Amino acid sequence: MAKRIQRSTPKAAPREAPRASSAGGPAPRRGRSGRVNSATVTEFTIQLATLSEAGIPVVRALTILEGQTRPGPFKEVLREITEDVSGGSPLSEAMQKHDRVFDRLYASMVRAGEAGGVLDRVLQRLAVFREKAAEVRGKIGTAMIYPTVLVLVAVGVVSAVMAFVIPKFKEIFDSFGVDLPEVTQILLNVSTFIRDRWYIVFGLPALLLVLHLGLLAKRQGYRRFFHAFLLRVPVLGGVLRKTIIAGFSRTFGTLIQAGVPHLDALGIVRDTTGNEVLRDAVEDIRRTVREGEGIARPMGETGVFDDIVVNMVDVGEETGELDNMLLKVAEAYEKQVDRGTTRLLNLLEPLMIVAMAVVVGFIVIALFLPLLDIMGAIGST
């Protein structure tokens, strides 16, 4: 079998002495490959799991998959991995060199499968994990398309009206010399400001967005503040909290199911999560577990996890079924995220319609009030 071949084949001398990374392993090959789509990696995982389950050695399976991959960055990655594994390197070590494609979670699960001689089963679990995670992300992304398009269209239409239509009405009002109501004067002033200071109106939000994204990328304190703020937003915060709980449960449960030790699994979850609030919570849990305590109590003390999650983890620890309990939590919360996203959209849609109606109503009233005065003056002459 593939796993016996990997263990028994002597490791070939490397062409170059790899530099050690900060973690003690080989330095990842950065910058040699372009961006690889997550769906491509998921499809590769499914195919590799199928070939491994059929008893095909890893090197041959990699050669098959590399041969059928279209030219591009991922084909180059597979070629290098195949060369490394053919030379005697473990699959996990070869994948770890390409951490832009195979993250730490992926490499750690493969390493656990190799150590336990169950690489085919671990790959199957990894494929299921990636499919579930992609499904959740896809649902949330699809759900956000409609409100995003609606907001952009509304902003575009209102901006066009304020910049090009309102000035025409201003010329009409000036030609008749009527006294304008205060609401109309406010509308005309806003229109004039947008036409004369368009670079401020559109440039300032863009600048703030770039600044926000830059701070999110480089300032951990700002990320922590922003993520905590999002979790406190009504309705949205509840959906986000359930999302991070589902992600934690599925990742942690899958790692434990693959045979990764609890402390190592918590470290991987901490390093792979994108939410700073969850990162801090997992670090607190890991610190307490390192001292010899269980997982359930520190989970409850973080304030991130619901009581039902803490109790299910407690039962899982007592019965030795922690991985199954975590995966059940993930399934339940992923369904809640789906329902919560639908409710959030059902709430956002009428709110956006009301906001648009208020803006349009303000414009219509501000324009028609002086028009009525003009029509009255024309009728009296």
Side-chain angles (χ1 to χ4, degrees):
M1 296 293 292
K3 293 176 278 297
R4 284 201 300 272
I5 291 174
Q6 285 187 19
R7 288 197 294 268
S8 60
T9 305
K11 189 170 183 178
R15 287 184 292 269
E16 287 183 23
R19 293 174 297 172
S21 66
S22 59
R29 301 176 191 173
R30 299 181 182 274
R32 295 192 62 181
S33 61
R35 184 177 181 85
V36 177
N37 191 284
S38 178
T40 302
V41 180
T42 301
E43 183 65 23
F44 161 79
T45 306
I46 296 171
Q47 294 173 345
L48 182 60
T50 302
L51 293 174
S52 297
E53 192 175 22
I56 298 176
V58 172
V59 174
R60 184 177 178 185
L62 290 171
T63 303
I64 294 171
L65 295 177
E66 188 269 331
Q68 70 180 27
T69 302
R70 290 182 298 179
F74 191 58
K75 187 178 182 68
E76 178 65 18
V77 168
L78 288 185
R79 185 187 64 78
E80 293 182 2
I81 290 176
T82 304
E83 289 179 357
D84 288 344
V85 176
S86 299
S89 296
L91 178 60
S92 57
E93 183 179 313
M95 287 180 166
Q96 191 177 1
K97 296 178 182 178
H98 303 275
D99 60 349
R100 292 182 179 180
V101 180
F102 302 101
D103 56 21
R104 185 184 173 192
L105 185 151
Y106 198 113
S108 297
M109 288 187 64
V110 171
R111 185 182 301 111
E114 291 173 326
V118 288
L119 181 59
D120 53 347
R121 281 190 286 171
V122 169
L123 287 170
Q124 289 286 358
R125 291 166 185 162
L126 187 54
V128 172
F129 168 80
R130 293 185 65 89
E131 285 182 317
K132 288 286 186 180
E135 182 181 352
V136 173
R137 290 195 303 267
K139 286 181 178 179
I140 295 176
T142 302
M144 294 307 298
I145 291 176
Y146 173 71
T148 302
V149 171
L150 185 60
V151 169
L152 291 177
V153 170
V155 170
V157 171
V158 171
S159 299
V161 169
M162 298 294 287
F164 302 107
V165 178
I166 302 301
K168 301 298 182 181
F169 280 89
K170 185 177 185 301
E171 295 175 2
I172 296 175
F173 299 152
D174 292 341
S175 65
F176 281 92
V178 296
D179 294 330
L180 299 177
E182 184 176 356
V183 65
T184 306
Q185 192 60 56
I186 292 174
L187 178 65
L188 295 179
N189 291 339
V190 172
S191 174
T192 301
F193 182 82
I194 290 176
R195 283 179 62 88
D196 296 343
R197 302 286 189 271
W198 59 268
Y199 49 88
I200 296 178
V201 175
F202 297 103
L204 183 59
L207 179 62
L208 292 176
L209 178 61
V210 171
L211 178 62
H212 168 69
L213 295 177
L215 290 174
L216 280 180
K218 297 182 179 180
R219 302 293 182 183
Q220 186 179 24
Y222 181 80
R223 286 200 304 271
R224 185 178 291 110
F225 164 79
F226 182 68
H227 292 164
F229 166 76
L230 289 179
L231 291 176
R232 291 193 293 267
V233 175
V235 185
L236 175 63
V239 175
L240 291 177
R241 183 180 297 275
K242 288 180 173 60
T243 302
I244 66 174
I245 290 175
F248 166 86
S249 302
R250 182 162 296 282
T251 305
F252 191 30
T254 304
L255 286 168
I256 295 175
Q257 196 176 59
V260 180
H262 289 187
L263 275 177
D264 293 340
L266 287 170
I268 294 169
V269 174
R270 177 200 61 198
D271 295 340
T272 54
T273 183
N275 187 283
E276 290 295 330
V277 176
L278 179 61
R279 183 188 298 271
D280 293 343
V282 173
E283 177 56 28
D284 291 340
I285 296 170
R286 189 170 184 269
R287 189 182 304 115
T288 304
V289 172
R290 189 189 297 117
E291 296 172 357
E293 296 193 32
I295 298 174
R297 187 186 65 79
M299 281 183 66
E301 292 176 351
T302 62
V304 174
F305 302 94
D306 299 336
D307 290 340
I308 186 172
V309 178
V310 175
N311 286 312
M312 290 186 70
V313 169
D314 193 18
V315 172
E317 288 186 294
E318 292 176 357
T319 60
E321 297 287 334
L322 180 58
D323 53 347
N324 291 329
M325 283 295 183
L326 286 167
L327 294 177
K328 288 179 181 178
V329 169
E331 291 285 349
Y333 272 73
E334 284 165 359
K335 292 178 181 178
Q336 292 186 37
V337 169
D338 194 18
R339 293 193 295 268
T341 303
T342 302
R343 286 196 299 268
L344 180 61
L345 290 178
N346 291 338
L347 178 64
L348 281 177
E349 186 173 352
L351 287 177
M352 289 187 293
I353 292 175
V354 169
M356 291 173 60
V358 169
V359 173
V360 173
F362 171 78
I363 294 174
V364 170
I365 292 174
L367 292 179
F368 272 84
L369 284 178
L371 287 178
L372 290 176
D373 293 338
I374 293 174
M375 293 174 63
I378 294 175
S380 62
T381 57

